[in-house]
Amino acid sequence: MGEVSTLIGQNALFSLLSHIFFMGITFYGLQSLMYSQIFKKNHVFQTQLILVLLSIAIGGAASRVFLEFTGWARQLSYLFSS
């Protein structure tokens, strides 16, 4: 039971770090866009809020794809084991 708990904990930690990493990269990338043409002037807080929410949505989706690929890569060993 201890080994299973350790693996579950490691998986949770890896997932959390993956989500934070991809959300941070998405936030960094979205800052390069010119928002002045889309949003009203002097609405800085609302613009930043949209930027954070978009980062969470896009970064979370990218992280889920990454985690699925890593999970599938781990499962490939079962294909070649006898």
Side-chain angles (χ1 to χ4, degrees):
M1 183 71 176
E3 186 177 324
V4 173
S5 297
T6 302
L7 289 175
I8 292 172
Q10 289 173 350
N11 190 28
L13 179 63
F14 184 66
S15 297
L16 281 170
L17 293 176
S18 173
H19 275 67
I20 290 169
F21 175 75
F22 279 100
M23 286 177 195
I25 286 191
T26 305
F27 183 78
Y28 178 73
L30 286 175
Q31 288 179 338
S32 68
L33 298 176
M34 294 189 56
Y35 298 108
S36 60
Q37 299 170 350
I38 301 171
F39 296 103
K40 295 178 183 177
K41 293 183 181 186
N42 300 323
H43 289 209
V44 177
F45 178 74
Q46 289 90 347
T47 304
Q48 290 174 343
L49 182 63
I50 292 295
L51 181 65
V52 168
L53 292 175
L54 279 173
S55 297
I56 291 170
I58 297 170
S63 179
R64 281 189 297 277
V65 168
F66 172 75
L67 291 171
E68 284 184 17
F69 275 115
T70 57
W72 293 333
R74 282 189 228 140
Q75 293 172 358
L76 280 177
S77 63
Y78 295 112
L79 183 63
F80 301 108
S81 65
S82 50

Coordinates of all heavy atoms in Angstrom, one line a residue:
M1 N 0.8 -1.2 0.0 CA 0.0 0.0 0.0 C 0.9 1.3 0.0 O 0.5 2.2 -0.6 CB -0.9 0.0 1.2 CG -1.9 1.1 1.3 SD -3.1 0.9 0.1 CE -4.1 2.3 0.4
G2 N 2.0 1.2 0.7 CA 2.9 2.4 0.7 C 3.4 2.8 -0.6 O 3.6 3.9 -0.9
E3 N 3.8 1.8 -1.5 CA 4.3 2.0 -2.8 C 3.3 2.7 -3.7 O 3.6 3.6 -4.4 CB 4.8 0.8 -3.4 CG 5.5 1.0 -4.7 CD 6.1 -0.3 -5.3 OE1 6.5 -1.2 -4.6 OE2 6.0 -0.4 -6.6
V4 N 2.0 2.3 -3.6 CA 0.9 2.8 -4.4 C 0.7 4.3 -3.9 O 0.5 5.2 -4.8 CB -0.3 2.0 -4.2 CG1 -1.5 2.7 -4.9 CG2 -0.1 0.6 -4.8
S5 N 0.7 4.5 -2.6 CA 0.5 5.9 -2.1 C 1.6 6.8 -2.6 O 1.4 8.0 -3.0 CB 0.5 5.9 -0.6 OG -0.6 5.1 -0.1
T6 N 2.9 6.3 -2.6 CA 4.0 7.1 -3.1 C 3.8 7.4 -4.6 O 4.0 8.6 -5.0 CB 5.3 6.4 -2.9 OG1 5.4 6.1 -1.5 CG2 6.5 7.2 -3.3
L7 N 3.4 6.5 -5.4 CA 3.2 6.7 -6.8 C 2.1 7.7 -7.1 O 2.2 8.6 -8.0 CB 2.9 5.4 -7.5 CG 4.1 4.4 -7.7 CD1 3.7 3.1 -8.3 CD2 5.2 5.0 -8.5
I8 N 1.0 7.6 -6.3 CA -0.1 8.5 -6.5 C 0.4 10.0 -6.1 O 0.1 10.9 -6.8 CB -1.3 8.1 -5.6 CG1 -1.9 6.8 -6.2 CG2 -2.3 9.2 -5.6 CD1 -3.0 6.2 -5.3
G9 N 1.1 10.1 -5.0 CA 1.7 11.4 -4.6 C 2.6 12.0 -5.6 O 2.6 13.2 -5.9
Q10 N 3.5 11.1 -6.2 CA 4.4 11.6 -7.2 C 3.7 12.1 -8.5 O 4.0 13.1 -9.1 CB 5.4 10.5 -7.6 CG 6.4 10.2 -6.5 CD 7.3 9.1 -6.9 OE1 7.0 8.3 -7.8 NE2 8.4 8.9 -6.1
N11 N 2.6 11.3 -8.8 CA 1.8 11.7 -10.0 C 1.1 13.0 -9.8 O 1.0 13.8 -10.7 CB 0.8 10.6 -10.3 CG 0.1 10.8 -11.6 OD1 0.7 11.4 -12.5 ND2 -1.1 10.3 -11.7
A12 N 0.6 13.2 -8.6 CA -0.1 14.5 -8.2 C 0.9 15.6 -8.3 O 0.5 16.7 -8.8 CB -0.7 14.4 -6.9
L13 N 2.1 15.4 -7.7 CA 3.1 16.5 -7.8 C 3.5 16.8 -9.2 O 3.6 18.0 -9.6 CB 4.3 16.1 -6.9 CG 5.4 17.1 -6.9 CD1 5.0 18.4 -6.2 CD2 6.6 16.5 -6.2
F14 N 3.7 15.8 -10.0 CA 4.1 16.0 -11.4 C 3.0 16.8 -12.2 O 3.2 17.7 -12.9 CB 4.4 14.7 -12.1 CG 4.8 14.8 -13.5 CD1 6.0 15.3 -13.8 CD2 4.0 14.3 -14.5 CE1 6.5 15.4 -15.1 CE2 4.5 14.3 -15.8 CZ 5.7 14.9 -16.1
S15 N 1.7 16.4 -11.9 CA 0.6 17.1 -12.5 C 0.5 18.5 -12.1 O 0.3 19.4 -13.0 CB -0.7 16.4 -12.2 OG -0.7 15.0 -12.7
L16 N 0.6 18.8 -10.8 CA 0.6 20.2 -10.4 C 1.7 21.1 -11.0 O 1.4 22.2 -11.5 CB 0.7 20.2 -8.8 CG -0.5 19.9 -8.0 CD1 -0.1 19.8 -6.6 CD2 -1.5 21.0 -8.2
L17 N 2.9 20.5 -11.0 CA 4.0 21.3 -11.6 C 3.8 21.5 -13.1 O 4.1 22.5 -13.6 CB 5.3 20.5 -11.3 CG 5.8 20.5 -9.8 CD1 7.0 19.7 -9.7 CD2 6.0 21.9 -9.3
S18 N 3.3 20.5 -13.8 CA 3.0 20.6 -15.2 C 2.0 21.7 -15.4 O 2.2 22.5 -16.3 CB 2.5 19.3 -15.7 OG 2.1 19.4 -17.1
H19 N 0.9 21.7 -14.7 CA -0.1 22.8 -14.9 C 0.5 24.1 -14.6 O 0.2 25.1 -15.4 CB -1.3 22.5 -14.0 CG -2.3 21.5 -14.5 ND1 -2.0 20.2 -14.7 CD2 -3.6 21.7 -15.0 CE1 -3.1 19.6 -15.2 NE2 -4.0 20.5 -15.4
I20 N 1.2 24.3 -13.5 CA 1.8 25.6 -13.2 C 2.7 26.0 -14.3 O 2.7 27.2 -14.7 CB 2.4 25.6 -11.8 CG1 1.4 25.4 -10.7 CG2 3.3 26.8 -11.6 CD1 1.9 25.1 -9.4
F21 N 3.6 25.1 -14.8 CA 4.5 25.4 -15.8 C 3.8 25.9 -17.1 O 4.2 27.0 -17.7 CB 5.4 24.2 -16.1 CG 6.4 24.4 -17.2 CD1 7.5 25.2 -17.1 CD2 6.1 23.8 -18.5 CE1 8.4 25.3 -18.2 CE2 7.0 23.9 -19.5 CZ 8.1 24.7 -19.4
F22 N 2.9 25.2 -17.6 CA 2.2 25.5 -18.8 C 1.3 26.8 -18.7 O 1.2 27.5 -19.6 CB 1.3 24.3 -19.3 CG 2.2 23.3 -20.1 CD1 2.5 22.1 -19.4 CD2 2.6 23.5 -21.4 CE1 3.3 21.2 -20.1 CE2 3.3 22.6 -22.0 CZ 3.7 21.4 -21.4
M23 N 0.8 27.0 -17.5 CA 0.0 28.2 -17.3 C 1.0 29.4 -17.3 O 0.6 30.5 -17.9 CB -0.8 28.2 -16.0 CG -2.0 27.3 -16.1 SD -2.8 27.2 -14.5 CE -3.8 25.8 -14.7
G24 N 2.1 29.3 -16.7 CA 3.1 30.4 -16.7 C 3.6 30.7 -18.1 O 3.8 31.8 -18.5
I25 N 3.9 29.6 -18.9 CA 4.4 29.8 -20.3 C 3.3 30.5 -21.1 O 3.5 31.4 -21.9 CB 4.8 28.5 -20.9 CG1 6.1 28.1 -20.3 CG2 4.9 28.6 -22.4 CD1 6.8 26.9 -21.0
T26 N 2.0 30.1 -20.9 CA 0.9 30.7 -21.7 C 0.8 32.1 -21.3 O 0.6 33.0 -22.1 CB -0.4 29.9 -21.4 OG1 -0.2 28.5 -21.7 CG2 -1.5 30.5 -22.2
F27 N 0.9 32.4 -20.0 CA 0.8 33.8 -19.5 C 1.8 34.7 -20.2 O 1.6 35.8 -20.6 CB 0.8 33.9 -18.0 CG 0.7 35.3 -17.4 CD1 -0.6 35.8 -17.3 CD2 1.8 36.0 -17.0 CE1 -0.7 37.1 -16.8 CE2 1.6 37.2 -16.5 CZ 0.4 37.8 -16.3
Y28 N 3.1 34.1 -20.2 CA 4.2 34.9 -20.8 C 3.9 35.1 -22.3 O 4.2 36.2 -22.8 CB 5.5 34.1 -20.6 CG 6.7 34.7 -21.2 CD1 7.3 35.8 -20.6 CD2 7.3 34.1 -22.3 CE1 8.4 36.3 -21.2 CE2 8.4 34.6 -22.9 CZ 9.0 35.8 -22.3 OH 10.1 36.3 -22.9
G29 N 3.4 34.1 -23.0 CA 3.2 34.2 -24.4 C 2.0 35.2 -24.7 O 2.1 35.9 -25.7
L30 N 1.0 35.2 -23.9 CA -0.1 36.1 -24.1 C 0.2 37.5 -23.9 O -0.5 38.4 -24.4 CB -1.3 35.7 -23.3 CG -2.1 34.4 -23.6 CD1 -3.1 34.1 -22.6 CD2 -2.7 34.5 -25.0
Q31 N 1.2 37.8 -23.1 CA 1.6 39.2 -22.9 C 2.2 39.8 -24.1 O 2.3 41.1 -24.2 CB 2.7 39.2 -21.8 CG 2.1 39.0 -20.4 CD 3.1 39.0 -19.3 OE1 4.3 38.9 -19.5 NE2 2.6 39.3 -18.1
S32 N 2.5 39.1 -25.2 CA 3.1 39.6 -26.4 C 2.0 40.2 -27.3 O 2.3 40.9 -28.3 CB 3.9 38.6 -27.1 OG 3.1 37.6 -27.6
L33 N 0.8 39.9 -27.0 CA -0.3 40.4 -27.9 C -0.6 41.8 -27.6 O -0.5 42.3 -26.5 CB -1.6 39.5 -27.6 CG -1.5 38.1 -28.0 CD1 -2.8 37.3 -27.6 CD2 -1.2 37.9 -29.5
M34 N -1.1 42.5 -28.6 CA -1.5 43.9 -28.4 C -3.0 44.0 -28.0 O -3.9 43.9 -28.9 CB -1.2 44.7 -29.7 CG 0.2 44.8 -30.0 SD 0.6 46.0 -31.3 CE -0.1 47.5 -30.8
Y35 N -3.3 44.3 -26.8 CA -4.6 44.3 -26.3 C -5.3 45.6 -26.5 O -6.5 45.7 -26.4 CB -4.7 43.9 -24.8 CG -4.1 42.6 -24.5 CD1 -2.9 42.4 -23.9 CD2 -4.9 41.5 -24.8 CE1 -2.4 41.1 -23.6 CE2 -4.4 40.2 -24.6 CZ -3.2 40.0 -24.0 OH -2.8 38.8 -23.7
S36 N -4.6 46.7 -26.8 CA -5.1 48.0 -26.9 C -6.2 48.1 -28.0 O -7.1 48.9 -28.0 CB -4.0 49.0 -27.1 OG -3.3 48.7 -28.3
Q37 N -6.1 47.2 -29.0 CA -7.0 47.2 -30.1 C -8.3 46.4 -29.8 O -9.3 46.6 -30.5 CB -6.4 46.7 -31.4 CG -5.2 47.5 -31.8 CD -4.4 46.8 -32.9 OE1 -4.6 45.6 -33.2 NE2 -3.4 47.5 -33.5
I38 N -8.2 45.6 -28.8 CA -9.4 44.8 -28.5 C -10.2 45.3 -27.3 O -11.4 45.3 -27.3 CB -8.9 43.3 -28.1 CG1 -8.2 42.7 -29.3 CG2 -10.1 42.4 -27.7 CD1 -7.5 41.4 -29.1
F39 N -9.5 45.7 -26.2 CA -10.1 46.1 -25.0 C -10.2 47.7 -24.9 O -9.5 48.4 -25.5 CB -9.4 45.6 -23.8 CG -9.4 44.1 -23.7 CD1 -8.3 43.4 -24.1 CD2 -10.5 43.4 -23.3 CE1 -8.3 42.0 -24.0 CE2 -10.5 42.0 -23.2 CZ -9.4 41.3 -23.6
K40 N -11.2 48.1 -24.0 CA -11.3 49.5 -23.8 C -10.1 50.1 -23.0 O -9.5 49.4 -22.2 CB -12.6 49.8 -23.0 CG -13.9 49.4 -23.7 CD -15.1 49.7 -22.8 CE -16.3 49.3 -23.5 NZ -17.5 49.4 -22.6
K41 N -9.8 51.3 -23.3 CA -8.7 52.0 -22.5 C -9.2 52.2 -21.1 O -10.3 52.3 -20.8 CB -8.4 53.3 -23.2 CG -7.8 53.2 -24.5 CD -7.4 54.5 -25.1 CE -6.8 54.2 -26.5 NZ -6.2 55.4 -27.1
N42 N -8.2 52.2 -20.2 CA -8.4 52.4 -18.7 C -9.1 51.3 -18.1 O -9.7 51.5 -17.0 CB -9.0 53.8 -18.5 CG -8.2 54.9 -19.0 OD1 -7.0 54.9 -19.0 ND2 -8.9 56.0 -19.5
H43 N -9.2 50.1 -18.6 CA -9.8 49.0 -18.0 C -8.7 47.9 -17.8 O -8.8 46.8 -18.3 CB -10.9 48.4 -18.9 CG -12.1 49.3 -18.9 ND1 -13.3 48.9 -19.1 CD2 -12.2 50.6 -18.8 CE1 -14.2 49.9 -19.1 NE2 -13.5 50.9 -18.9
V44 N -7.7 48.3 -17.1 CA -6.5 47.5 -16.9 C -6.8 46.2 -16.1 O -6.4 45.1 -16.5 CB -5.4 48.3 -16.2 CG1 -4.1 47.4 -16.0 CG2 -5.0 49.5 -17.0
F45 N -7.6 46.3 -15.1 CA -7.9 45.2 -14.2 C -8.6 44.1 -15.0 O -8.3 42.9 -15.0 CB -8.6 45.6 -13.0 CG -9.0 44.4 -12.1 CD1 -8.1 43.8 -11.4 CD2 -10.3 43.9 -12.1 CE1 -8.4 42.7 -10.6 CE2 -10.6 42.8 -11.4 CZ -9.7 42.2 -10.6
Q46 N -9.6 44.6 -15.8 CA -10.4 43.6 -16.6 C -9.5 42.9 -17.6 O -9.7 41.7 -17.9 CB -11.6 44.3 -17.2 CG -12.7 44.7 -16.3 CD -12.5 46.1 -15.8 OE1 -11.5 46.7 -15.9 NE2 -13.5 46.6 -15.1
T47 N -8.7 43.7 -18.2 CA -7.8 43.1 -19.2 C -6.8 42.1 -18.6 O -6.6 41.0 -19.1 CB -6.9 44.2 -19.9 OG1 -7.8 45.2 -20.5 CG2 -6.0 43.7 -21.0
Q48 N -6.3 42.4 -17.4 CA -5.4 41.4 -16.7 C -6.2 40.2 -16.3 O -5.7 39.1 -16.3 CB -4.8 42.1 -15.5 CG -3.7 43.2 -15.9 CD -3.2 43.9 -14.7 OE1 -3.8 43.9 -13.7 NE2 -2.1 44.6 -15.0
L49 N -7.4 40.4 -15.9 CA -8.2 39.3 -15.5 C -8.5 38.3 -16.6 O -8.4 37.1 -16.5 CB -9.6 39.8 -14.9 CG -10.5 38.7 -14.4 CD1 -9.9 37.9 -13.2 CD2 -11.9 39.3 -14.0
I50 N -8.8 38.9 -17.8 CA -9.0 38.0 -19.0 C -7.7 37.3 -19.3 O -7.7 36.1 -19.7 CB -9.5 38.9 -20.2 CG1 -10.9 39.4 -19.9 CG2 -9.4 38.1 -21.5 CD1 -11.9 38.3 -19.9
L51 N -6.6 38.0 -19.2 CA -5.3 37.4 -19.5 C -5.0 36.2 -18.6 O -4.5 35.2 -19.0 CB -4.2 38.5 -19.3 CG -2.7 38.1 -19.6 CD1 -2.6 37.7 -21.1 CD2 -1.8 39.2 -19.3
V52 N -5.3 36.4 -17.3 CA -5.1 35.3 -16.3 C -6.0 34.1 -16.6 O -5.6 32.9 -16.6 CB -5.3 35.8 -14.9 CG1 -5.4 34.6 -13.9 CG2 -4.1 36.7 -14.5
L53 N -7.3 34.4 -16.9 CA -8.3 33.3 -17.2 C -7.9 32.6 -18.5 O -8.0 31.4 -18.6 CB -9.7 33.9 -17.2 CG -10.2 34.4 -15.9 CD1 -11.6 35.1 -16.1 CD2 -10.3 33.3 -14.9
L54 N -7.5 33.3 -19.5 CA -7.0 32.7 -20.7 C -5.8 31.8 -20.5 O -5.7 30.7 -21.1 CB -6.7 33.7 -21.8 CG -7.9 34.3 -22.6 CD1 -7.5 35.4 -23.5 CD2 -8.6 33.2 -23.4
S55 N -4.9 32.3 -19.6 CA -3.7 31.5 -19.3 C -4.1 30.2 -18.6 O -3.5 29.1 -18.9 CB -2.8 32.3 -18.4 OG -2.3 33.5 -19.1
I56 N -5.1 30.3 -17.7 CA -5.5 29.1 -17.0 C -6.1 28.1 -18.0 O -5.8 26.9 -18.0 CB -6.5 29.4 -15.9 CG1 -5.7 30.2 -14.8 CG2 -7.2 28.2 -15.3 CD1 -6.6 30.8 -13.7
A57 N -7.0 28.6 -18.9 CA -7.7 27.7 -19.8 C -6.7 27.1 -20.8 O -6.7 25.9 -21.0 CB -8.8 28.5 -20.5
I58 N -5.9 27.9 -21.5 CA -5.0 27.4 -22.5 C -3.9 26.5 -21.9 O -3.6 25.5 -22.3 CB -4.4 28.5 -23.3 CG1 -5.6 29.2 -24.1 CG2 -3.4 28.0 -24.3 CD1 -5.1 30.5 -24.7
G59 N -3.3 27.0 -20.8 CA -2.2 26.3 -20.1 C -2.7 25.0 -19.5 O -2.0 24.0 -19.6
G60 N -3.9 25.0 -19.0 CA -4.5 23.7 -18.4 C -4.7 22.7 -19.5 O -4.4 21.5 -19.4
A61 N -5.2 23.2 -20.7 CA -5.4 22.2 -21.8 C -4.1 21.7 -22.3 O -4.0 20.5 -22.6 CB -6.2 23.0 -22.9
A62 N -3.1 22.6 -22.4 CA -1.8 22.1 -22.9 C -1.2 21.1 -21.9 O -0.6 20.1 -22.3 CB -0.9 23.3 -23.2
S63 N -1.4 21.4 -20.7 CA -0.8 20.5 -19.6 C -1.5 19.1 -19.7 O -0.8 18.1 -19.5 CB -1.0 21.1 -18.3 OG -0.5 20.3 -17.3
R64 N -2.8 19.1 -19.9 CA -3.5 17.9 -19.9 C -3.0 17.0 -21.1 O -2.9 15.8 -21.0 CB -5.0 18.1 -20.0 CG -5.6 18.4 -18.7 CD -7.2 18.4 -18.7 NE -7.7 19.4 -19.6 CZ -7.9 20.7 -19.3 NH1 -7.6 21.1 -18.1 NH2 -8.4 21.6 -20.1
V65 N -2.8 17.7 -22.3 CA -2.3 17.0 -23.4 C -0.9 16.4 -23.1 O -0.6 15.2 -23.4 CB -2.2 17.9 -24.7 CG1 -1.4 17.2 -25.8 CG2 -3.6 18.2 -25.1
F66 N 0.0 17.2 -22.5 CA 1.3 16.8 -22.1 C 1.2 15.6 -21.2 O 2.0 14.6 -21.3 CB 2.1 17.9 -21.5 CG 3.4 17.5 -20.9 CD1 4.5 17.3 -21.7 CD2 3.6 17.4 -19.5 CE1 5.7 16.9 -21.2 CE2 4.8 17.1 -19.0 CZ 5.9 16.8 -19.8
L67 N 0.4 15.7 -20.2 CA 0.3 14.6 -19.2 C -0.3 13.3 -19.8 O 0.1 12.2 -19.4 CB -0.6 15.0 -18.0 CG 0.0 16.1 -17.1 CD1 -1.1 16.6 -16.1 CD2 1.2 15.5 -16.4
E68 N -1.2 13.4 -20.7 CA -1.7 12.3 -21.4 C -0.6 11.6 -22.3 O -0.5 10.4 -22.3 CB -2.9 12.6 -22.4 CG -4.2 12.9 -21.6 CD -5.4 13.1 -22.5 OE1 -5.3 12.8 -23.7 OE2 -6.4 13.6 -22.0
F69 N 0.2 12.4 -23.0 CA 1.3 11.8 -23.7 C 2.3 11.1 -22.9 O 2.8 10.0 -23.2 CB 2.0 12.9 -24.6 CG 1.3 13.1 -25.9 CD1 0.7 14.4 -26.2 CD2 1.3 12.2 -26.9 CE1 0.1 14.6 -27.4 CE2 0.7 12.4 -28.1 CZ 0.1 13.6 -28.4
T70 N 2.6 11.7 -21.7 CA 3.6 11.1 -20.8 C 3.0 9.8 -20.2 O 3.7 8.8 -20.1 CB 4.0 12.0 -19.7 OG1 2.9 12.5 -19.0 CG2 4.8 13.2 -20.2
G71 N 1.7 9.8 -20.0 CA 1.1 8.6 -19.5 C 1.1 7.5 -20.5 O 1.3 6.3 -20.2
W72 N 0.8 7.8 -21.7 CA 0.8 6.9 -22.8 C 2.2 6.3 -23.1 O 2.4 5.2 -23.3 CB 0.3 7.4 -24.1 CG -1.2 7.8 -24.0 CD1 -2.1 7.2 -23.3 CD2 -1.9 8.8 -24.8 NE1 -3.4 7.8 -23.5 CE2 -3.2 8.7 -24.4 CE3 -1.5 9.7 -25.8 CZ2 -4.2 9.6 -25.0 CZ3 -2.4 10.5 -26.3 CH2 -3.8 10.5 -25.9
A73 N 3.2 7.2 -22.9 CA 4.6 6.8 -23.1 C 5.0 5.8 -22.1 O 5.7 4.8 -22.3 CB 5.5 8.0 -23.1
R74 N 4.5 6.0 -20.8 CA 4.8 5.0 -19.7 C 4.1 3.7 -20.0 O 4.7 2.6 -19.7 CB 4.3 5.6 -18.4 CG 5.3 6.6 -17.8 CD 4.9 6.9 -16.4 NE 4.8 8.4 -16.3 CZ 3.9 9.1 -15.6 NH1 2.9 8.5 -15.0 NH2 4.0 10.4 -15.6
Q75 N 3.0 3.7 -20.6 CA 2.2 2.5 -20.9 C 2.8 1.7 -22.1 O 2.5 0.5 -22.2 CB 0.8 2.8 -21.1 CG 0.0 3.3 -19.9 CD -1.4 3.8 -20.2 OE1 -1.8 3.8 -21.3 NE2 -2.1 4.3 -19.2
L76 N 3.6 2.3 -22.9 CA 4.2 1.6 -24.0 C 5.1 0.5 -23.6 O 5.2 -0.5 -24.3 CB 5.0 2.6 -24.9 CG 4.2 3.5 -25.9 CD1 5.2 4.4 -26.6 CD2 3.5 2.6 -26.8
S77 N 5.6 0.5 -22.4 CA 6.5 -0.5 -21.9 C 5.7 -1.8 -21.8 O 6.3 -2.9 -22.0 CB 7.1 -0.2 -20.6 OG 6.1 0.0 -19.6
Y78 N 4.4 -1.8 -21.6 CA 3.6 -3.0 -21.5 C 3.4 -3.6 -22.8 O 3.2 -4.8 -22.9 CB 2.2 -2.6 -20.9 CG 2.3 -2.2 -19.5 CD1 1.9 -0.8 -19.1 CD2 2.6 -3.0 -18.5 CE1 2.0 -0.4 -17.8 CE2 2.7 -2.6 -17.1 CZ 2.4 -1.3 -16.8 OH 2.5 -0.9 -15.5
L79 N 3.5 -2.9 -23.9 CA 3.4 -3.5 -25.2 C 4.6 -4.4 -25.6 O 4.4 -5.4 -26.3 CB 3.3 -2.3 -26.3 CG 3.1 -2.7 -27.7 CD1 1.8 -3.4 -27.9 CD2 3.2 -1.5 -28.6
F80 N 5.8 -4.0 -25.0 CA 7.0 -4.8 -25.4 C 7.4 -5.7 -24.3 O 8.4 -6.4 -24.5 CB 8.1 -3.8 -25.7 CG 7.8 -2.9 -26.8 CD1 7.5 -1.5 -26.6 CD2 7.7 -3.3 -28.1 CE1 7.2 -0.7 -27.6 CE2 7.4 -2.5 -29.2 CZ 7.1 -1.2 -28.9
S81 N 6.7 -5.8 -23.2 CA 7.1 -6.7 -22.1 C 6.4 -8.1 -22.4 O 5.3 -8.1 -23.0 CB 6.7 -6.2 -20.8 OG 5.3 -6.1 -20.7
S82 N 7.0 -9.1 -21.9 CA 6.4 -10.4 -22.2 C 5.7 -11.0 -21.0 O 5.8 -10.6 -19.9 CB 7.5 -11.4 -22.7 OG 8.6 -11.4 -21.9

